[in-house]
Amino acid sequence: MFKKSLVAVLGILVIAVAFTGCAKAPQALVDSTKAALDAAKAAEADRYVPAEFKAAQDSLNAALAEIETQNAKFALMRSYKKAQASLEAATAKANEAAAKVAEAKEAVKNEVVQKQADLAAAIEEANKLFKKAPRGKESREVLTAIKADIEAVVASQPDIQATFDSGDYLTARDKVNAALAKIKGVTDELNQAIAKKNR
């Protein structure tokens, strides 16, 4: 009787050891996945391919949440297979995002180059319209303000170029878009004033 009980206890212990041995949190995989995301972020994937980077981050977060859920269970009931799958998916997504950065960055770079050309043309157009704008006592202050706006946009061009030259194409795009919006407002105002004069 004692021998049977001892065998049963030993059997349970062997099974328990086997289960707990297989059910350890995949810390090495967590670490390598975090490293993959860090590398993708260093490559600016979070800025140039934010959707892909977020997908990788979401997979990592899901894996970490699953690990916490499993850690809270009784040792024999833990399974980290789902977390491992999420971690592997996160690593793959992070690597994919990092690989797409160069192409996305080049596209933004080309966009900024085109918009800088558009800005130069818009400034030239604004200056032409300014010369045609109606002049009079009541329009003096308005014209002074318009001229200041044009000069502000012109003055912003070196900063846009410096940002572009630093390789921060997204910020350069934001700045050139702001300058384009401002100069468009100026040309719209001038066109309205000229049209009013010609009625």
Side-chain angles (χ1 to χ4, degrees):
M1 178 73 178
F2 174 75
K3 193 175 178 181
K4 281 186 179 178
S5 297
L6 182 62
V7 169
V9 169
L10 285 174
I12 291 169
L13 282 174
V14 167
I15 292 169
V17 168
F19 268 100
T20 53
C22 294
K24 287 185 179 175
Q27 190 56 49
L29 189 53
V30 169
D31 293 342
S32 65
T33 301
K34 285 181 176 176
L37 263 90
D38 288 345
K41 191 169 185 177
E44 298 186 284
D46 57 326
R47 297 187 71 213
Y48 286 92
V49 285
E52 288 86 345
F53 184 80
K54 185 179 180 307
Q57 185 69 59
D58 288 347
S59 289
L60 172 61
N61 292 341
L64 295 177
E66 176 62 17
I67 288 170
E68 286 299 314
T69 299
Q70 295 303 321
N71 286 346
K73 292 181 178 177
F74 180 64
L76 293 177
M77 304 301 289
R78 293 177 191 161
S79 171
Y80 294 97
K81 287 181 182 175
K82 189 176 173 185
Q84 286 173 338
S86 292
L87 289 167
E88 287 163 1
T91 300
K93 288 173 185 173
N95 292 338
E96 191 178 317
K100 288 182 177 177
V101 169
E103 186 182 342
K105 205 168 182 177
E106 186 67 19
V108 176
K109 179 182 176 183
N110 292 335
E111 183 184 345
V112 174
V113 169
Q114 179 58 53
K115 287 189 172 185
Q116 283 179 300
D118 294 344
L119 180 62
I123 290 170
E124 189 177 333
E125 177 65 16
N127 280 324
K128 284 180 185 172
L129 291 172
F130 184 79
K131 290 176 185 171
K132 295 179 187 174
R135 281 159 168 75
K137 271 186 182 178
E138 63 278 358
S139 61
R140 190 173 301 155
E141 285 184 15
V142 174
L143 287 173
T144 300
I146 288 174
K147 188 68 178 169
D149 284 344
I150 295 172
E151 287 171 353
V153 172
V154 171
S156 73
Q157 287 180 295
D159 180 46
I160 294 167
Q161 186 61 49
T163 306
F164 179 87
D165 291 342
S166 75
D168 187 353
Y169 304 127
L170 286 176
T171 303
R173 184 176 67 182
D174 291 343
K175 289 181 177 181
V176 78
N177 280 340
L180 279 166
K182 189 162 190 173
I183 203 70
K184 184 181 182 308
V186 167
T187 53
D188 287 349
E189 191 173 356
L190 286 167
N191 277 322
Q192 287 169 11
I194 292 166
K196 199 172 177 182
K197 179 185 125 183
N198 293 335
R199 280 181 197 161

